[in-house]
Amino acid sequence: MFKNLFVFALFFSALVVAGCGGGDQAEAPAPAQEEAAAETASDTIVIEANNQLQFSVKEFTVAAGEEVTITLHNVGTLPKDTFGHNFVILTAGTDLEAFATEAMGNSANEYMPTDLSNVLAHTVLLGPDEKDTISFTAPTQPGQYEFLCTFPGHYGTMRGVMIVK
Ligand SMILES: [Cu+2]
């Protein structure tokens, strides 16, 4: 009688241990995946451009020297050749008006100047519902870096500042 109970208890314990072991293995990868997804989401700055000549983000802050990823999404509905949008970040001290004036004259190059020495990073020109993602290393020098859309007539309202801290 006692012997049978003892055997039963051992068998039951083995089942519980096996059950727990399996459970741990199945659950282990889940937290790691959630963490990776959250990291990707927080590192990418998503900016929308629309029919009302606005960027959804006018100002954002990055750490000096960090890797920055920006996605521009043209949520507008107007054709690319008459109302396209891009996103261009300028080097420190660049005259935005002068840059925009030169850029808008270069329709053959999608309104980007041929000389990109004053450009920190830029997307391509986007049509309705198109997206472009760019990655670059933030300047090591803290300060304010202006950005704009260079499509003719847009930079008056489609502009903002990247703050490097
Ligand atoms: Cu634009």
Side-chain angles (χ1 to χ4, degrees):
M1 177 65 183
F2 283 118
K3 194 186 172 192
N4 281 347
L5 266 179
F6 183 64
V7 168
F8 178 77
L10 270 183
F11 181 62
F12 188 72
S13 302
L15 276 181
V16 169
V17 169
C20 286
D24 285 347
Q25 280 168 4
E27 285 165 20
Q33 282 171 356
E34 276 169 27
E35 204 172 283
E39 216 169 78
T40 303
S42 64
D43 281 353
T44 300
I45 299 162
V46 178
I47 301 175
E48 293 179 348
N50 63 23
N51 287 350
Q52 287 74 43
L53 293 173
Q54 299 290 334
F55 283 130
S56 60
V57 174
K58 302 277 188 199
E59 185 182 304
F60 61 94
T61 302
V62 299
E66 85 167 342
E67 199 64 14
V68 179
T69 301
I70 295 174
T71 297
L72 178 68
H73 182 192
N74 182 355
V75 297
T77 52
L78 302 167
K80 177 177 166 177
D81 58 345
T82 57
F83 215 88
H85 296 300
N86 64 9
F87 177 84
V88 182
I89 306 182
L90 305 177
T91 53
T94 299
D95 184 325
L96 185 141
E97 276 83 10
F99 179 90
T101 302
E102 189 193 340
M104 73 176 71
N106 202 353
S107 60
N109 194 34
E110 296 199 320
Y111 308 108
M112 286 297 292
T114 313
D115 175 11
L116 295 179
S117 59
N118 290 324
V119 175
L120 211 60
H122 71 97
T123 67
V124 296
L125 189 67
L126 302 176
D129 205 32
E130 288 182 337
K131 292 178 186 177
D132 189 25
T133 297
I134 55 172
S135 290
F136 60 97
T137 303
T140 51
Q141 185 161 8
Q144 301 205 348
Y145 297 78
E146 290 189 286
F147 61 79
L148 72 153
C149 170
T150 63
F151 196 92
H154 289 198
Y155 78 89
T157 50
M158 299 193 78
R159 60 194 289 176
V161 178
M162 175 178 79
I163 298 167
V164 176
K165 278 189 175 168

PDB file of all heavy atoms in Angstrom, residues 60-97:
ATOM      1  N   PHE A  60      12.427  67.702 -33.625  1.00  0.00           N
ATOM      2  CA  PHE A  60      12.735  66.475 -32.894  1.00  0.00           C
ATOM      3  C   PHE A  60      14.173  66.547 -32.407  1.00  0.00           C
ATOM      4  O   PHE A  60      14.974  67.333 -32.916  1.00  0.00           O
ATOM      5  CB  PHE A  60      12.482  65.221 -33.755  1.00  0.00           C
ATOM      6  CG  PHE A  60      13.317  65.139 -35.006  1.00  0.00           C
ATOM      7  CD1 PHE A  60      14.534  64.444 -35.004  1.00  0.00           C
ATOM      8  CD2 PHE A  60      12.900  65.731 -36.190  1.00  0.00           C
ATOM      9  CE1 PHE A  60      15.307  64.345 -36.164  1.00  0.00           C
ATOM     10  CE2 PHE A  60      13.675  65.652 -37.348  1.00  0.00           C
ATOM     11  CZ  PHE A  60      14.867  64.963 -37.334  1.00  0.00           C
ATOM     12  N   THR A  61      14.448  65.742 -31.385  1.00  0.00           N
ATOM     13  CA  THR A  61      15.758  65.810 -30.745  1.00  0.00           C
ATOM     14  C   THR A  61      16.458  64.460 -30.838  1.00  0.00           C
ATOM     15  O   THR A  61      15.839  63.421 -30.632  1.00  0.00           O
ATOM     16  CB  THR A  61      15.597  66.211 -29.258  1.00  0.00           C
ATOM     17  OG1 THR A  61      14.917  67.473 -29.208  1.00  0.00           O
ATOM     18  CG2 THR A  61      16.933  66.329 -28.572  1.00  0.00           C
ATOM     19  N   VAL A  62      17.731  64.504 -31.160  1.00  0.00           N
ATOM     20  CA  VAL A  62      18.540  63.272 -31.210  1.00  0.00           C
ATOM     21  C   VAL A  62      19.812  63.513 -30.397  1.00  0.00           C
ATOM     22  O   VAL A  62      20.178  64.653 -30.124  1.00  0.00           O
ATOM     23  CB  VAL A  62      18.902  62.887 -32.665  1.00  0.00           C
ATOM     24  CG1 VAL A  62      17.653  62.614 -33.486  1.00  0.00           C
ATOM     25  CG2 VAL A  62      19.740  63.970 -33.329  1.00  0.00           C
ATOM     26  N   ALA A  63      20.460  62.420 -30.037  1.00  0.00           N
ATOM     27  CA  ALA A  63      21.718  62.526 -29.297  1.00  0.00           C
ATOM     28  C   ALA A  63      22.877  62.650 -30.282  1.00  0.00           C
ATOM     29  O   ALA A  63      22.863  62.036 -31.348  1.00  0.00           O
ATOM     30  CB  ALA A  63      21.906  61.301 -28.413  1.00  0.00           C
ATOM     31  N   ALA A  64      23.844  63.466 -29.931  1.00  0.00           N
ATOM     32  CA  ALA A  64      25.013  63.663 -30.790  1.00  0.00           C
ATOM     33  C   ALA A  64      25.680  62.324 -31.110  1.00  0.00           C
ATOM     34  O   ALA A  64      25.899  61.503 -30.222  1.00  0.00           O
ATOM     35  CB  ALA A  64      26.007  64.592 -30.098  1.00  0.00           C
ATOM     36  N   GLY A  65      25.937  62.104 -32.383  1.00  0.00           N
ATOM     37  CA  GLY A  65      26.653  60.901 -32.807  1.00  0.00           C
ATOM     38  C   GLY A  65      25.832  59.634 -32.868  1.00  0.00           C
ATOM     39  O   GLY A  65      26.349  58.576 -33.231  1.00  0.00           O
ATOM     40  N   GLU A  66      24.537  59.708 -32.514  1.00  0.00           N
ATOM     41  CA  GLU A  66      23.725  58.488 -32.532  1.00  0.00           C
ATOM     42  C   GLU A  66      23.201  58.205 -33.946  1.00  0.00           C
ATOM     43  O   GLU A  66      23.109  59.083 -34.796  1.00  0.00           O
ATOM     44  CB  GLU A  66      22.547  58.570 -31.544  1.00  0.00           C
ATOM     45  CG  GLU A  66      21.302  59.251 -32.097  1.00  0.00           C
ATOM     46  CD  GLU A  66      20.068  59.046 -31.231  1.00  0.00           C
ATOM     47  OE1 GLU A  66      20.038  58.140 -30.394  1.00  0.00           O
ATOM     48  OE2 GLU A  66      19.119  59.831 -31.406  1.00  0.00           O
ATOM     49  N   GLU A  67      22.851  56.938 -34.167  1.00  0.00           N
ATOM     50  CA  GLU A  67      22.284  56.533 -35.441  1.00  0.00           C
ATOM     51  C   GLU A  67      20.810  56.953 -35.471  1.00  0.00           C
ATOM     52  O   GLU A  67      20.066  56.654 -34.541  1.00  0.00           O
ATOM     53  CB  GLU A  67      22.418  55.003 -35.586  1.00  0.00           C
ATOM     54  CG  GLU A  67      22.299  54.482 -37.010  1.00  0.00           C
ATOM     55  CD  GLU A  67      23.409  54.976 -37.943  1.00  0.00           C
ATOM     56  OE1 GLU A  67      24.425  55.502 -37.455  1.00  0.00           O
ATOM     57  OE2 GLU A  67      23.238  54.836 -39.165  1.00  0.00           O
ATOM     58  N   VAL A  68      20.419  57.674 -36.505  1.00  0.00           N
ATOM     59  CA  VAL A  68      19.049  58.185 -36.606  1.00  0.00           C
ATOM     60  C   VAL A  68      18.369  57.555 -37.820  1.00  0.00           C
ATOM     61  O   VAL A  68      18.970  57.471 -38.903  1.00  0.00           O
ATOM     62  CB  VAL A  68      19.045  59.727 -36.770  1.00  0.00           C
ATOM     63  CG1 VAL A  68      17.626  60.259 -36.889  1.00  0.00           C
ATOM     64  CG2 VAL A  68      19.774  60.389 -35.615  1.00  0.00           C
ATOM     65  N   THR A  69      17.141  57.093 -37.629  1.00  0.00           N
ATOM     66  CA  THR A  69      16.365  56.549 -38.745  1.00  0.00           C
ATOM     67  C   THR A  69      15.065  57.334 -38.851  1.00  0.00           C
ATOM     68  O   THR A  69      14.351  57.500 -37.861  1.00  0.00           O
ATOM     69  CB  THR A  69      16.061  55.054 -38.530  1.00  0.00           C
ATOM     70  OG1 THR A  69      17.299  54.357 -38.402  1.00  0.00           O
ATOM     71  CG2 THR A  69      15.295  54.473 -39.721  1.00  0.00           C
ATOM     72  N   ILE A  70      14.814  57.836 -40.039  1.00  0.00           N
ATOM     73  CA  ILE A  70      13.609  58.640 -40.279  1.00  0.00           C
ATOM     74  C   ILE A  70      12.845  58.067 -41.460  1.00  0.00           C
ATOM     75  O   ILE A  70      13.434  57.758 -42.504  1.00  0.00           O
ATOM     76  CB  ILE A  70      13.982  60.112 -40.580  1.00  0.00           C
ATOM     77  CG1 ILE A  70      14.640  60.749 -39.339  1.00  0.00           C
ATOM     78  CG2 ILE A  70      12.757  60.922 -41.011  1.00  0.00           C
ATOM     79  CD1 ILE A  70      15.175  62.138 -39.579  1.00  0.00           C
ATOM     80  N   THR A  71      11.544  57.911 -41.272  1.00  0.00           N
ATOM     81  CA  THR A  71      10.680  57.519 -42.382  1.00  0.00           C
ATOM     82  C   THR A  71       9.790  58.690 -42.750  1.00  0.00           C
ATOM     83  O   THR A  71       9.082  59.222 -41.893  1.00  0.00           O
ATOM     84  CB  THR A  71       9.798  56.309 -42.001  1.00  0.00           C
ATOM     85  OG1 THR A  71      10.639  55.185 -41.736  1.00  0.00           O
ATOM     86  CG2 THR A  71       8.838  55.952 -43.135  1.00  0.00           C
ATOM     87  N   LEU A  72       9.869  59.113 -44.018  1.00  0.00           N
ATOM     88  CA  LEU A  72       8.937  60.131 -44.498  1.00  0.00           C
ATOM     89  C   LEU A  72       7.813  59.401 -45.226  1.00  0.00           C
ATOM     90  O   LEU A  72       8.062  58.554 -46.084  1.00  0.00           O
ATOM     91  CB  LEU A  72       9.625  61.105 -45.462  1.00  0.00           C
ATOM     92  CG  LEU A  72       8.681  62.185 -46.039  1.00  0.00           C
ATOM     93  CD1 LEU A  72       8.228  63.158 -44.947  1.00  0.00           C
ATOM     94  CD2 LEU A  72       9.345  62.956 -47.179  1.00  0.00           C
ATOM     95  N   HIS A  73       6.583  59.735 -44.842  1.00  0.00           N
ATOM     96  CA  HIS A  73       5.402  59.138 -45.479  1.00  0.00           C
ATOM     97  C   HIS A  73       4.577  60.271 -46.086  1.00  0.00           C
ATOM     98  O   HIS A  73       4.110  61.154 -45.361  1.00  0.00           O
ATOM     99  CB  HIS A  73       4.585  58.373 -44.424  1.00  0.00           C
ATOM    100  CG  HIS A  73       3.378  57.689 -44.993  1.00  0.00           C
ATOM    101  ND1 HIS A  73       2.382  57.158 -44.202  1.00  0.00           N
ATOM    102  CD2 HIS A  73       3.002  57.444 -46.278  1.00  0.00           C
ATOM    103  CE1 HIS A  73       1.445  56.631 -44.966  1.00  0.00           C
ATOM    104  NE2 HIS A  73       1.783  56.790 -46.226  1.00  0.00           N
ATOM    105  N   ASN A  74       4.447  60.260 -47.395  1.00  0.00           N
ATOM    106  CA  ASN A  74       3.598  61.257 -48.050  1.00  0.00           C
ATOM    107  C   ASN A  74       2.154  60.768 -47.966  1.00  0.00           C
ATOM    108  O   ASN A  74       1.751  59.865 -48.698  1.00  0.00           O
ATOM    109  CB  ASN A  74       4.026  61.432 -49.514  1.00  0.00           C
ATOM    110  CG  ASN A  74       3.201  62.499 -50.232  1.00  0.00           C
ATOM    111  OD1 ASN A  74       2.259  63.046 -49.664  1.00  0.00           O
ATOM    112  ND2 ASN A  74       3.561  62.778 -51.471  1.00  0.00           N
ATOM    113  N   VAL A  75       1.391  61.371 -47.051  1.00  0.00           N
ATOM    114  CA  VAL A  75      -0.010  60.964 -46.868  1.00  0.00           C
ATOM    115  C   VAL A  75      -0.935  61.812 -47.745  1.00  0.00           C
ATOM    116  O   VAL A  75      -2.155  61.700 -47.670  1.00  0.00           O
ATOM    117  CB  VAL A  75      -0.450  61.060 -45.383  1.00  0.00           C
ATOM    118  CG1 VAL A  75       0.358  60.104 -44.525  1.00  0.00           C
ATOM    119  CG2 VAL A  75      -0.327  62.490 -44.861  1.00  0.00           C
ATOM    120  N   GLY A  76      -0.345  62.667 -48.573  1.00  0.00           N
ATOM    121  CA  GLY A  76      -1.135  63.486 -49.486  1.00  0.00           C
ATOM    122  C   GLY A  76      -1.667  62.659 -50.648  1.00  0.00           C
ATOM    123  O   GLY A  76      -1.328  61.487 -50.809  1.00  0.00           O
ATOM    124  N   THR A  77      -2.520  63.304 -51.464  1.00  0.00           N
ATOM    125  CA  THR A  77      -3.169  62.584 -52.560  1.00  0.00           C
ATOM    126  C   THR A  77      -2.854  63.202 -53.919  1.00  0.00           C
ATOM    127  O   THR A  77      -3.348  62.738 -54.947  1.00  0.00           O
ATOM    128  CB  THR A  77      -4.705  62.623 -52.362  1.00  0.00           C
ATOM    129  OG1 THR A  77      -5.100  63.984 -52.177  1.00  0.00           O
ATOM    130  CG2 THR A  77      -5.130  61.805 -51.147  1.00  0.00           C
ATOM    131  N   LEU A  78      -2.047  64.261 -53.910  1.00  0.00           N
ATOM    132  CA  LEU A  78      -1.790  64.983 -55.158  1.00  0.00           C
ATOM    133  C   LEU A  78      -0.586  64.405 -55.895  1.00  0.00           C
ATOM    134  O   LEU A  78       0.333  63.877 -55.283  1.00  0.00           O
ATOM    135  CB  LEU A  78      -1.593  66.472 -54.848  1.00  0.00           C
ATOM    136  CG  LEU A  78      -2.807  67.087 -54.128  1.00  0.00           C
ATOM    137  CD1 LEU A  78      -2.477  68.454 -53.549  1.00  0.00           C
ATOM    138  CD2 LEU A  78      -3.994  67.184 -55.087  1.00  0.00           C
ATOM    139  N   PRO A  79      -0.580  64.487 -57.232  1.00  0.00           N
ATOM    140  CA  PRO A  79       0.472  63.852 -58.039  1.00  0.00           C
ATOM    141  C   PRO A  79       1.877  64.344 -57.690  1.00  0.00           C
ATOM    142  O   PRO A  79       2.078  65.505 -57.329  1.00  0.00           O
ATOM    143  CB  PRO A  79       0.112  64.261 -59.472  1.00  0.00           C
ATOM    144  CG  PRO A  79      -1.324  64.647 -59.435  1.00  0.00           C
ATOM    145  CD  PRO A  79      -1.571  65.181 -58.059  1.00  0.00           C
ATOM    146  N   LYS A  80       2.823  63.431 -57.814  1.00  0.00           N
ATOM    147  CA  LYS A  80       4.215  63.727 -57.465  1.00  0.00           C
ATOM    148  C   LYS A  80       4.791  64.884 -58.285  1.00  0.00           C
ATOM    149  O   LYS A  80       5.524  65.723 -57.754  1.00  0.00           O
ATOM    150  CB  LYS A  80       5.049  62.459 -57.687  1.00  0.00           C
ATOM    151  CG  LYS A  80       6.527  62.612 -57.448  1.00  0.00           C
ATOM    152  CD  LYS A  80       7.213  61.257 -57.646  1.00  0.00           C
ATOM    153  CE  LYS A  80       8.720  61.411 -57.761  1.00  0.00           C
ATOM    154  NZ  LYS A  80       9.383  60.099 -57.889  1.00  0.00           N
ATOM    155  N   ASP A  81       4.433  64.968 -59.573  1.00  0.00           N
ATOM    156  CA  ASP A  81       5.062  65.995 -60.411  1.00  0.00           C
ATOM    157  C   ASP A  81       4.513  67.397 -60.162  1.00  0.00           C
ATOM    158  O   ASP A  81       5.124  68.390 -60.550  1.00  0.00           O
ATOM    159  CB  ASP A  81       4.987  65.619 -61.904  1.00  0.00           C
ATOM    160  CG  ASP A  81       3.554  65.421 -62.376  1.00  0.00           C
ATOM    161  OD1 ASP A  81       2.658  65.288 -61.524  1.00  0.00           O
ATOM    162  OD2 ASP A  81       3.338  65.401 -63.600  1.00  0.00           O
ATOM    163  N   THR A  82       3.347  67.502 -59.510  1.00  0.00           N
ATOM    164  CA  THR A  82       2.821  68.834 -59.195  1.00  0.00           C
ATOM    165  C   THR A  82       2.803  69.115 -57.693  1.00  0.00           C
ATOM    166  O   THR A  82       2.648  70.264 -57.274  1.00  0.00           O
ATOM    167  CB  THR A  82       1.382  69.014 -59.715  1.00  0.00           C
ATOM    168  OG1 THR A  82       0.562  67.983 -59.159  1.00  0.00           O
ATOM    169  CG2 THR A  82       1.334  68.949 -61.229  1.00  0.00           C
ATOM    170  N   PHE A  83       2.950  68.073 -56.874  1.00  0.00           N
ATOM    171  CA  PHE A  83       2.847  68.270 -55.422  1.00  0.00           C
ATOM    172  C   PHE A  83       3.585  67.173 -54.661  1.00  0.00           C
ATOM    173  O   PHE A  83       3.071  66.597 -53.702  1.00  0.00           O
ATOM    174  CB  PHE A  83       1.374  68.295 -54.997  1.00  0.00           C
ATOM    175  CG  PHE A  83       1.077  69.244 -53.865  1.00  0.00           C
ATOM    176  CD1 PHE A  83       0.760  70.579 -54.103  1.00  0.00           C
ATOM    177  CD2 PHE A  83       1.118  68.809 -52.545  1.00  0.00           C
ATOM    178  CE1 PHE A  83       0.469  71.452 -53.060  1.00  0.00           C
ATOM    179  CE2 PHE A  83       0.828  69.680 -51.491  1.00  0.00           C
ATOM    180  CZ  PHE A  83       0.502  71.004 -51.753  1.00  0.00           C
ATOM    181  N   GLY A  84       4.824  66.887 -55.085  1.00  0.00           N
ATOM    182  CA  GLY A  84       5.616  65.871 -54.381  1.00  0.00           C
ATOM    183  C   GLY A  84       6.189  66.436 -53.093  1.00  0.00           C
ATOM    184  O   GLY A  84       6.160  67.649 -52.863  1.00  0.00           O
ATOM    185  N   HIS A  85       6.679  65.553 -52.240  1.00  0.00           N
ATOM    186  CA  HIS A  85       7.327  65.972 -50.991  1.00  0.00           C
ATOM    187  C   HIS A  85       8.631  65.198 -50.795  1.00  0.00           C
ATOM    188  O   HIS A  85       8.705  64.007 -51.114  1.00  0.00           O
ATOM    189  CB  HIS A  85       6.433  65.691 -49.781  1.00  0.00           C
ATOM    190  CG  HIS A  85       5.151  66.451 -49.767  1.00  0.00           C
ATOM    191  ND1 HIS A  85       5.078  67.827 -49.762  1.00  0.00           N
ATOM    192  CD2 HIS A  85       3.862  66.018 -49.731  1.00  0.00           C
ATOM    193  CE1 HIS A  85       3.815  68.209 -49.717  1.00  0.00           C
ATOM    194  NE2 HIS A  85       3.051  67.129 -49.708  1.00  0.00           N
ATOM    195  N   ASN A  86       9.613  65.885 -50.238  1.00  0.00           N
ATOM    196  CA  ASN A  86      10.812  65.198 -49.773  1.00  0.00           C
ATOM    197  C   ASN A  86      11.166  65.759 -48.397  1.00  0.00           C
ATOM    198  O   ASN A  86      10.446  66.608 -47.844  1.00  0.00           O
ATOM    199  CB  ASN A  86      11.975  65.330 -50.773  1.00  0.00           C
ATOM    200  CG  ASN A  86      12.447  66.765 -50.957  1.00  0.00           C
ATOM    201  OD1 ASN A  86      12.041  67.673 -50.240  1.00  0.00           O
ATOM    202  ND2 ASN A  86      13.311  66.965 -51.942  1.00  0.00           N
ATOM    203  N   PHE A  87      12.245  65.263 -47.838  1.00  0.00           N
ATOM    204  CA  PHE A  87      12.675  65.676 -46.504  1.00  0.00           C
ATOM    205  C   PHE A  87      14.193  65.799 -46.552  1.00  0.00           C
ATOM    206  O   PHE A  87      14.897  64.820 -46.804  1.00  0.00           O
ATOM    207  CB  PHE A  87      12.230  64.624 -45.478  1.00  0.00           C
ATOM    208  CG  PHE A  87      12.670  64.914 -44.075  1.00  0.00           C
ATOM    209  CD1 PHE A  87      11.937  65.765 -43.263  1.00  0.00           C
ATOM    210  CD2 PHE A  87      13.820  64.326 -43.564  1.00  0.00           C
ATOM    211  CE1 PHE A  87      12.344  66.028 -41.959  1.00  0.00           C
ATOM    212  CE2 PHE A  87      14.223  64.588 -42.253  1.00  0.00           C
ATOM    213  CZ  PHE A  87      13.488  65.435 -41.453  1.00  0.00           C
ATOM    214  N   VAL A  88      14.674  67.031 -46.343  1.00  0.00           N
ATOM    215  CA  VAL A  88      16.099  67.308 -46.504  1.00  0.00           C
ATOM    216  C   VAL A  88      16.615  68.007 -45.251  1.00  0.00           C
ATOM    217  O   VAL A  88      16.104  69.063 -44.871  1.00  0.00           O
ATOM    218  CB  VAL A  88      16.337  68.211 -47.743  1.00  0.00           C
ATOM    219  CG1 VAL A  88      17.829  68.456 -47.945  1.00  0.00           C
ATOM    220  CG2 VAL A  88      15.708  67.601 -49.000  1.00  0.00           C
ATOM    221  N   ILE A  89      17.619  67.420 -44.599  1.00  0.00           N
ATOM    222  CA  ILE A  89      18.225  68.054 -43.417  1.00  0.00           C
ATOM    223  C   ILE A  89      19.529  68.716 -43.848  1.00  0.00           C
ATOM    224  O   ILE A  89      20.349  68.106 -44.547  1.00  0.00           O
ATOM    225  CB  ILE A  89      18.541  67.040 -42.301  1.00  0.00           C
ATOM    226  CG1 ILE A  89      17.303  66.218 -41.940  1.00  0.00           C
ATOM    227  CG2 ILE A  89      19.039  67.759 -41.049  1.00  0.00           C
ATOM    228  CD1 ILE A  89      17.543  65.230 -40.805  1.00  0.00           C
ATOM    229  N   LEU A  90      19.692  69.969 -43.438  1.00  0.00           N
ATOM    230  CA  LEU A  90      20.861  70.748 -43.840  1.00  0.00           C
ATOM    231  C   LEU A  90      21.950  70.737 -42.773  1.00  0.00           C
ATOM    232  O   LEU A  90      21.668  70.546 -41.588  1.00  0.00           O
ATOM    233  CB  LEU A  90      20.432  72.196 -44.125  1.00  0.00           C
ATOM    234  CG  LEU A  90      19.296  72.360 -45.146  1.00  0.00           C
ATOM    235  CD1 LEU A  90      18.911  73.829 -45.276  1.00  0.00           C
ATOM    236  CD2 LEU A  90      19.708  71.787 -46.500  1.00  0.00           C
ATOM    237  N   THR A  91      23.160  70.960 -43.219  1.00  0.00           N
ATOM    238  CA  THR A  91      24.279  71.070 -42.274  1.00  0.00           C
ATOM    239  C   THR A  91      24.126  72.369 -41.486  1.00  0.00           C
ATOM    240  O   THR A  91      23.408  73.290 -41.905  1.00  0.00           O
ATOM    241  CB  THR A  91      25.626  71.069 -43.020  1.00  0.00           C
ATOM    242  OG1 THR A  91      25.594  72.078 -44.029  1.00  0.00           O
ATOM    243  CG2 THR A  91      25.884  69.722 -43.684  1.00  0.00           C
ATOM    244  N   ALA A  92      24.803  72.457 -40.351  1.00  0.00           N
ATOM    245  CA  ALA A  92      24.707  73.632 -39.488  1.00  0.00           C
ATOM    246  C   ALA A  92      25.147  74.884 -40.239  1.00  0.00           C
ATOM    247  O   ALA A  92      26.138  74.867 -40.969  1.00  0.00           O
ATOM    248  CB  ALA A  92      25.576  73.432 -38.249  1.00  0.00           C
ATOM    249  N   GLY A  93      24.366  75.955 -40.068  1.00  0.00           N
ATOM    250  CA  GLY A  93      24.748  77.234 -40.660  1.00  0.00           C
ATOM    251  C   GLY A  93      24.362  77.424 -42.115  1.00  0.00           C
ATOM    252  O   GLY A  93      24.618  78.477 -42.691  1.00  0.00           O
ATOM    253  N   THR A  94      23.729  76.418 -42.734  1.00  0.00           N
ATOM    254  CA  THR A  94      23.310  76.570 -44.134  1.00  0.00           C
ATOM    255  C   THR A  94      22.103  77.503 -44.216  1.00  0.00           C
ATOM    256  O   THR A  94      21.164  77.377 -43.429  1.00  0.00           O
ATOM    257  CB  THR A  94      22.949  75.197 -44.739  1.00  0.00           C
ATOM    258  OG1 THR A  94      24.097  74.357 -44.690  1.00  0.00           O
ATOM    259  CG2 THR A  94      22.478  75.329 -46.180  1.00  0.00           C
ATOM    260  N   ASP A  95      22.141  78.434 -45.154  1.00  0.00           N
ATOM    261  CA  ASP A  95      21.033  79.371 -45.362  1.00  0.00           C
ATOM    262  C   ASP A  95      19.886  78.618 -46.048  1.00  0.00           C
ATOM    263  O   ASP A  95      19.989  78.254 -47.221  1.00  0.00           O
ATOM    264  CB  ASP A  95      21.523  80.530 -46.242  1.00  0.00           C
ATOM    265  CG  ASP A  95      20.448  81.602 -46.439  1.00  0.00           C
ATOM    266  OD1 ASP A  95      19.255  81.256 -46.530  1.00  0.00           O
ATOM    267  OD2 ASP A  95      20.823  82.778 -46.515  1.00  0.00           O
ATOM    268  N   LEU A  96      18.809  78.391 -45.303  1.00  0.00           N
ATOM    269  CA  LEU A  96      17.706  77.565 -45.818  1.00  0.00           C
ATOM    270  C   LEU A  96      17.057  78.176 -47.062  1.00  0.00           C
ATOM    271  O   LEU A  96      16.775  77.468 -48.035  1.00  0.00           O
ATOM    272  CB  LEU A  96      16.664  77.337 -44.718  1.00  0.00           C
ATOM    273  CG  LEU A  96      15.507  76.390 -45.059  1.00  0.00           C
ATOM    274  CD1 LEU A  96      15.154  75.525 -43.853  1.00  0.00           C
ATOM    275  CD2 LEU A  96      14.274  77.152 -45.532  1.00  0.00           C
ATOM    276  N   GLU A  97      16.806  79.489 -47.044  1.00  0.00           N
ATOM    277  CA  GLU A  97      16.161  80.135 -48.193  1.00  0.00           C
ATOM    278  C   GLU A  97      17.031  80.021 -49.445  1.00  0.00           C
ATOM    279  O   GLU A  97      16.535  79.708 -50.530  1.00  0.00           O
ATOM    280  CB  GLU A  97      15.857  81.618 -47.900  1.00  0.00           C
ATOM    281  CG  GLU A  97      14.550  81.857 -47.160  1.00  0.00           C
ATOM    282  CD  GLU A  97      14.688  81.686 -45.655  1.00  0.00           C
ATOM    283  OE1 GLU A  97      15.835  81.570 -45.181  1.00  0.00           O
ATOM    284  OE2 GLU A  97      13.657  81.654 -44.958  1.00  0.00           O
TER     285      GLU A  97
END
